Amino acid sequence: MDKINGIVNKVIEFDDFKDYENQVISFTGYIHRIREMSDFSFVIIRTKRDVIQCIYSKEFSDYTWDERIVENTSVKITGKVVNSKDAQGNDRFEVQIHNIEVLSLPAEQMPIVINKKQLDNVQLSTALDLRPISLRNPKERAVFKVQEGIARGFREFLQKNDFTEIRTPKIVFAGAEGGANIFKLDYFGKPVYLTQSPQFYKQELVGVYERVFEIAPVFRAEHHDTSRHLNEYISMDFEMGFIDSFYDIMNMETGLLKYIFELLNKEYKKELDLLKVQMPTITEIPVIKFMDAKDLIVNKFKKHITDFNDFEPEEEQLLGKWAKDNYNSDFLFVTHYPSKKRPFYAMDDPENPEVTLSFDLLFRGVEITTGGQRIHDYNMQVKKMQDRGMKVEEFETYLMLHKYGAPPHGGLGLGLERLTMNLLGFKNVRYASMFPRDINRVTP
Ligand code: AMO
């Protein structure tokens, strides 16, 4: 009888080629491109993270070319790894082909060209329609490799800082963030919602694990077609108990971002280079109060303000530029947002209850995070809900946190696509969403 022992052979990656110089190896991938020269051919193989130059020539073996091979054929290449130094004398490895085993043939050729450095002349909507294949383009797939690195950095940093990873329901009994942008569902005859954020659950779990985090989809019924809103996005949330003030949250986020960028620089360099990313460096992040920021917008930038409780996108951009010009920082914390515009769980400033102990983080002039201290006192929370006309009895399970004792606590939500978009310099958040959901799109 066959038995399975769980031992999996390591696949040889391009980065390992230096250890196999002048040795014959086998590896698998796709035929990415074939370039025929006069007496040999370049056969470029696309592996899961690289494109590898292989050379087919009668000089290297007596293998005869299989005429069925076309672009996007899955193959197993066997060949000798050789070092062909580049013009600067840097190591550059290629493979002299000894054999190509055809593993699978495509039924048709693709409707778009994916084997150039980037998708040339392909509109965003076409690239999105064809996501399963447009992502095979090296630059397109690099975006989501970087995104993987961001989420990985978020998880690693928080784990190192004693946070517990949680998984909270996405079908919920009430919205946490208020407003009309909530999807309603029929749940066996009962009205329920798609979660706008894990807010209630992460707070409840502070009462259990003290420090918690989650990386998961959330849903917003945004009715407008904007360049920075999705109807489903990945929210990276954390929540921590026993804080001294909401500045603890901002400090944790600053450390977190430093960690993420260090990890990207270290382990995602090839993608950053391919995408020509300008990596931010963080030493300290400047902080400005909301009212002072509004003041700057009126008095320094001479802009007419229409909304006194929140920023217009253009105002955020001006603030981003101001932080860059004055502090050489790509980031800016804005604190003490007006209570009116913050959800019911936000803690008001005891010194001025018109504003909250909360913050947003702007990255290159776009909001990527909201966070702050939460109300932990039961009576204070109930009163704020009543003042807002909420039905307190509907939030009984959430309020168990407060009723049975909650420590001073706070946290934040960081939009993964927003961070990716601004890091990579995209003007539209859809470029940073693998399978975006917007008002006009639910496929693929
Ligand atoms: P907020 O609603 O501000 O706060 O969301 C937090 C962060 O999520 C991102 N974001 C979005 N990204 C893409 N499309 C959208 N429609 C969208 N909406 C929001 C932004 C934003 O900064 N519970 C609080 C967080 C907290 O206080 O812990 C919340 O969800 O990057």
Side-chain angles (χ1 to χ4, degrees), residues 177 197 199 202 220 222 228-230 233 237 345 367-371 374 411-413 415 418:
E177 307 305 331
S197 83
Q199 188 65 35
K202 63 176 180 166
R220 304 279 172 105
E222 310 283 356
R228 51 199 227 154
H229 290 94
L230 295 162
Y233 70 91
D237 279 83
Y345 53 78
E367 175 204 324
I368 59 162
T369 298
T370 294
R374 326 300 186 182
L412 58 76
R418 286 267 185 100

Side-chain angles (χ1 to χ4, degrees), residues 288-341:
I288 186 169
K289 286 192 170 146
F290 180 86
M291 280 316 294
D292 296 337
K294 280 285 184 191
D295 216 51
L296 270 183
I297 290 162
V298 175
N299 294 317
K300 187 171 162 45
F301 296 109
K302 311 283 181 222
K303 292 280 159 195
H304 176 67
I305 291 184
T306 50
D307 185 350
F308 287 87
N309 295 315
D310 211 344
F311 293 120
E312 303 283 346
E314 192 201 344
E315 295 174 10
E316 288 186 349
Q317 259 154 37
L318 290 172
L319 292 171
K321 188 176 164 338
W322 175 80
K324 188 75 189 167
D325 293 347
N326 290 276
Y327 298 93
N328 192 25
S329 174
D330 286 315
F331 293 89
L332 176 68
F333 278 119
V334 183
T335 62
H336 300 88
Y337 277 71
S339 299
K340 271 194 197 138
K341 271 288 166 89

Side-chain angles (χ1 to χ4, degrees), residues 27 31 41-45 53-63 65 76-80 94-100:
F27 63 96
I31 301 279
S41 301
F42 287 116
V43 181
I44 312 299
I45 302 296
Q53 179 163 296
C54 304
I55 297 162
Y56 165 62
S57 161
K58 283 279 162 223
E59 197 189 315
F60 303 136
S61 82
D62 50 15
Y63 164 73
W65 186 258
K76 182 176 184 179
I77 301 280
T78 301
K80 187 159 131 191
E94 57 189 27
V95 175
Q96 297 174 345
I97 294 174
H98 289 189
N99 189 48
I100 303 179

Side-chain angles (χ1 to χ4, degrees), residues 209-360:
Y209 300 108
E210 197 177 308
R211 292 179 168 199
V212 295
F213 77 93
E214 181 169 24
I215 303 172
V218 295
F219 305 89
R220 304 279 172 105
E222 310 283 356
H223 293 281
H224 307 288
D225 195 357
T226 84
S227 60
R228 51 199 227 154
H229 290 94
L230 295 162
N231 292 112
E232 175 177 346
Y233 70 91
I234 303 296
S235 187
M236 302 199 291
D237 279 83
F238 75 69
E239 197 73 16
M240 56 192 274
F242 298 98
I243 57 170
D244 291 328
S245 78
F246 73 104
Y247 290 101
D248 290 351
I249 312 296
M250 291 155 63
N251 259 318
M252 190 63 84
E253 180 165 35
T254 306
L256 171 62
L257 290 170
K258 284 185 189 178
Y259 184 91
I260 290 173
F261 296 136
E262 274 165 26
L263 179 73
L264 293 181
N265 280 325
K266 211 164 66 204
E267 299 205 22
Y268 295 80
K269 182 137 185 357
K270 57 176 93 167
E271 283 81 15
L272 298 178
D273 287 348
L274 187 61
L275 294 166
K276 301 196 171 66
V277 180
Q278 287 225 318
M279 285 300 278
T281 44
I282 304 179
T283 39
E284 290 166 330
I285 298 182
V287 183
I288 186 169
K289 286 192 170 146
F290 180 86
M291 280 316 294
D292 296 337
K294 280 285 184 191
D295 216 51
L296 270 183
I297 290 162
V298 175
N299 294 317
K300 187 171 162 45
F301 296 109
K302 311 283 181 222
K303 292 280 159 195
H304 176 67
I305 291 184
T306 50
D307 185 350
F308 287 87
N309 295 315
D310 211 344
F311 293 120
E312 303 283 346
E314 192 201 344
E315 295 174 10
E316 288 186 349
Q317 259 154 37
L318 290 172
L319 292 171
K321 188 176 164 338
W322 175 80
K324 188 75 189 167
D325 293 347
N326 290 276
Y327 298 93
N328 192 25
S329 174
D330 286 315
F331 293 89
L332 176 68
F333 278 119
V334 183
T335 62
H336 300 88
Y337 277 71
S339 299
K340 271 194 197 138
K341 271 288 166 89
R342 290 303 217 205
F344 68 91
Y345 53 78
M347 173 92 96
D348 292 333
D349 185 350
E351 285 170 17
N352 173 12
E354 300 275 288
V355 300
T356 49
L357 298 177
S358 73
F359 66 90
D360 271 10

